[in-house]
Amino acid sequence: MTIVLLLLVASGIAGLATGLFFRVWALLLVSPATAIVAATVLQSSEFGFWAGIPIVTACLMMGQFAYLAATFHLYRGELSMHGETDGEPGAQSHNHIGGQNE
């Protein structure tokens, strides 16, 4: 059971690190690496094939959720609806930009 928790924590840390420093495309490299490492560790710990599948899936899901949490943490100011509700443009928006080019 300790190995499973260690794999889940390691997957979460990998997801957080990926979300804080890289774009979503980095998950194309991190996710298969996580699955391979988790499967290797479980196989060396004498987990069976059918017992390892849900654990590897949980590790991948933990990494994805940690990536989302890190991404939402980084961009929490830009995801605000405040700029749209008060009629003023947000940090990355411009008001009536289409009418200025005519």
Side-chain angles (χ1 to χ4, degrees):
M1 191 66 178
T2 305
I3 293 172
V4 175
L5 291 175
L6 183 66
L7 285 172
L8 288 172
V9 169
S11 298
I13 291 171
L16 280 174
T18 305
L20 291 175
F21 297 110
F22 300 107
R23 293 269 191 198
V24 69
W25 305 112
L27 288 176
L28 291 172
L29 299 173
V30 173
S31 294
T34 300
I36 290 170
V37 168
T40 304
V41 168
L42 291 172
Q43 187 67 31
S44 67
S45 299
E46 299 178 0
F47 275 80
F49 177 76
W50 294 108
I53 290 175
I55 298 169
V56 171
T57 304
C59 288
L60 290 171
M61 289 173 57
M62 178 66 90
Q64 300 289 322
F65 288 138
Y67 175 84
L68 284 174
T71 302
F72 282 134
H73 176 71
L74 281 178
Y75 298 108
R76 68 183 177 272
E78 297 173 15
L79 297 174
S80 175
M81 296 296 286
H82 179 70
E84 295 180 17
T85 58
D86 64 0
E88 295 296 319
Q92 295 182 349
S93 302
H94 300 287
N95 205 4
H96 305 294
I97 196 166
Q100 294 176 359
N101 293 331
E102 294 178 357

